[in-house]
Amino acid sequence: MTLAVLASRALCGLNALAVRVETHLGPGLPSFNIVGLADTEVRESRERVRAALINSGFEFPPGRITVNLSPADLPKESGRFDLPMAVGLLLASGQLAEAAASDGPAPWADLVLAGELSLTGALVPVAAPLAIALGVAGDLPGGTLILPAGSAEHAAWVPGLRVLSARTLADVAAHLAGARGLPDAVPRPWPAGEPVPCLSDVRGQPAARRALEIAAAGAHSLLMVGPPGAGKSMLAQRLPGLLPPLSRMQALETAAVAGLAGLADAPAAAPPFRAPHHCASAAALVGGGSRPRPGEISLAHNGVLFLDELPEFSRASLEALREPLEAGRVVISRSLARAVFPARFQLVAAMNPCPCGWRGHPARSCACTPDQAARYASRVSGPLLDRIDLHIALPPTDLAALDAAPGETSDAVRARVAACRLRQMARQGVPNARLEGPALERHCPLEGAARDLLLQAMRRLGGSARAMHRALRVARTIADLEEAERLSARHVAQAVQYRRPGD
Ligand SMILES: [Zn+2]
């Protein structure tokens, strides 16, 4: 056989797309060409593959070698194609005898190979093994993935596929020839994860605690406005502890995104909490780069994104949040391809009431002119605020409350939140925050008095349709926390308190 076809994966956002590695050995002057939108790292494979073959005791075949990475329009990066290319050369040159007997398409239809070779023939761990494993499990269920030791143990966390761990090219060749099997990768135990701070640490602030519970229960985004020291960050940090733990797949997906960003990719049961500084660029926030990398919103996927000092973020950064907030994913377009990263995060934002922070404070005086305060508030655009369901004003910390007995623990609140989420999922398949259009109307049946109250409130406040939809979603969650089917006037009255100033 002079043609070998093997399967590998190229990463495009979080998607690990199938790549056919076709290796052809033909007559002619010795040459080694790689075609199929290969970037520099892939082209350098030629030197690594040549040295690795020779140093593993194989012959580097003379003749004209062509490797085609297909589909050709998909950018290929990284050295992970080294291994399938080297194995392809062994097959095409007849050095892998048993496999060479089968002609035509891939001799191992459900086998995927990825690994960078060192010149010695040893395999070097690959980046983002979790993303690769999720891709293989998704479209090749029951398939087998061969990865370098060190990467394979991460990939083995993903159910639905077999992951084999290889140390050298020679080991892979021996396995494929049926001589000596590769060991199954043993997944490391899931790490315990960082402890999430408990809500009982927050003294006083009953209204804010309640708003946080509603936010957790309905997956609503939340904006807190209050003076410095009112406990905005402290409250936000406690939201992940109120949310239901992630499912296994959610945890793996979130960890895979972290792996793509070059961070530790150990899955954790607790939802992620990301709090980028307001200096963060739009690219750092939503993702970007010539080789697209996930941003903070994707690292917060299935968890919480906390933006403190919201008006201090650049306008470009805040505007870039709008679409992902609705779509739950971010698309980064480049000339060659589009990368899609998941970004289903819950936004918690905080801001001071004015530039100095003391506007409306009973004991401190604000040094800002009304004009300065208005300009400060207007740095956050209306369309972004429109996407935030819950708005609360935090009073300054009441010193007397610091001596009060600790409030409820996160565990107690999380149990109510979990029950409330189950109701929502059983009824409509999504959390209340994602109810839109006809589904919103259908799932928010109003008692007569509630309808009157809602219309009155909207008329009095000059509210828009969007404002009414926000109030309905929040009222739905308040009713769900009480296990009520229909929205009563009381639920609506509470919900309209969380309106955005100006609604
Ligand atoms: Zn001020």
Side-chain angles (χ1 to χ4, degrees):
M1 185 175 77
T2 56
L3 176 70
V5 180
L6 291 155
S8 193
R9 294 278 157 163
L11 284 171
C12 186
L14 184 61
N15 298 321
L17 303 174
V19 170
R20 276 161 59 91
V21 181
E22 305 169 345
T23 308
H24 181 253
L25 187 57
L29 287 174
S31 65
F32 189 170
N33 288 307
I34 300 173
V35 296
L37 212 59
D39 79 3
T40 324
E41 275 169 272
V42 181
R43 289 198 299 274
E44 288 170 351
S45 283
R46 290 177 298 194
E47 304 310 319
R48 292 192 297 267
V49 167
R50 185 196 309 270
L53 279 173
I54 292 166
N55 291 325
S56 303
F58 297 106
E59 183 196 339
F60 187 76
R64 192 179 163 82
I65 300 164
T66 309
V67 173
N68 179 34
L69 303 174
S70 161
D73 60 354
L74 185 67
K76 324 290 185 313
E77 68 336 309
S78 100
R80 81 177 78 87
F81 302 105
D82 290 3
L83 179 61
M85 278 187 224
V87 171
L89 272 178
L90 291 176
L91 284 169
S93 61
Q95 297 182 73
L96 252 180
E98 263 136 295
S102 73
D103 257 340
W108 302 282
D110 62 348
L111 178 71
V112 178
L113 298 145
E116 184 180 322
L117 285 167
S118 77
L119 302 185
T120 62
L123 282 161
V124 180
V126 292
L130 264 179
I132 296 172
L134 284 170
V136 174
D139 53 28
L140 204 62
T144 301
L145 174 62
I146 296 182
L147 284 181
S151 300
E153 291 68 26
H154 292 236
W157 277 318
V158 176
L161 80 167
R162 185 174 181 206
V163 182
L164 301 176
S165 168
R167 295 196 174 277
T168 63
L169 171 61
D171 287 350
V172 176
H175 173 83
L176 296 177
R180 190 175 66 243
L182 287 171
D184 283 278
V186 180
R188 302 206 178 106
W190 280 33
E194 301 278 304
V196 181
C198 184
L199 192 61
S200 61
D201 305 337
V202 179
R203 303 292 165 97
Q205 297 289 16
R209 294 171 61 107
R210 168 77 175 159
L212 204 62
E213 178 170 344
I214 295 169
H220 301 286
S221 43
L222 168 69
L223 173 65
M224 297 180 275
V225 182
K232 292 171 293 203
S233 304
M234 198 176 176
L235 284 157
Q237 284 158 4
R238 279 148 185 81
L239 180 56
L242 308 187
L243 297 173
L246 301 187
S247 71
R248 188 183 175 87
M249 279 316 280
Q250 283 177 321
L252 287 169
E253 212 177 45
T254 301
V257 175
L260 290 172
L263 305 175
D265 65 351
F273 179 79
R274 302 291 303 182
H277 189 259
H278 56 72
C279 293
S281 65
L285 204 59
V286 300
S290 57
R291 186 179 289 181
R293 285 162 69 96
E296 292 289 341
I297 61 169
S298 295
L299 294 169
H301 178 55
N302 292 320
V304 176
L305 179 74
F306 177 48
L307 302 183
D308 198 5
E309 314 239 18
L310 189 66
E312 304 292 341
F313 281 81
S314 76
R315 190 78 182 217
S317 299
L318 294 182
E319 291 306 295
L321 286 177
R322 275 165 52 187
E323 207 204 312
L325 259 175
E326 296 219 323
R329 62 189 190 131
V330 56
V331 180
I332 299 169
S333 294
R334 290 291 173 266
S335 56
L336 292 175
R338 272 165 21 117
V340 181
F341 294 105
R344 181 69 69 196
F345 60 93
Q346 196 171 346
L347 175 65
V348 178
M351 60 188 278
N352 294 333
C354 65
C356 82
W358 304 114
R359 196 169 193 80
H361 195 282
R364 307 279 295 257
S365 60
C366 164
C368 317
T369 64
D371 191 40
Q372 281 171 325
R375 223 174 319 127
Y376 178 75
S378 71
R379 281 196 221 160
V380 185
S381 76
L384 177 63
L385 292 175
D386 268 342
R387 284 164 177 79
I388 300 180
D389 281 345
L390 291 163
H391 295 249
I392 55 164
L394 256 64
T397 311
D398 177 6
L399 290 180
L402 297 180
D403 287 335
E408 262 188 318
T409 61
S410 292
D411 289 346
V413 178
R414 189 171 60 244
R416 287 198 295 273
V417 167
C420 188
R421 285 282 184 104
L422 283 178
R423 281 179 73 85
Q424 298 164 49
M425 297 313 279
R427 184 178 58 226
Q428 68 220 15
V430 291
N432 290 338
R434 283 165 59 195
L435 280 179
E436 300 275 355
L440 180 66
E441 305 243 326
R442 190 163 64 250
H443 297 300
C444 297
L446 288 153
E447 288 174 2
R451 181 171 298 278
D452 294 344
L453 181 74
L454 182 64
L455 291 176
Q456 250 177 40
M458 287 300 133
R459 220 171 284 134
R460 185 161 39 93
L461 303 162
S464 60
R466 273 184 180 276
M468 190 159 89
H469 293 162
R470 280 199 299 279
L472 265 181
R473 282 194 288 266
V474 173
R476 178 68 271 175
T477 301
I478 293 171
D480 281 333
L481 279 167
E482 295 177 6
E483 300 180 22
E485 287 300 325
R486 301 179 75 80
L487 310 191
S488 72
R490 194 166 45 80
H491 301 140
V492 170
Q494 281 183 41
V496 293
Q497 288 172 24
Y498 295 115
R499 72 184 181 273
R500 171 186 150 191
D503 267 358

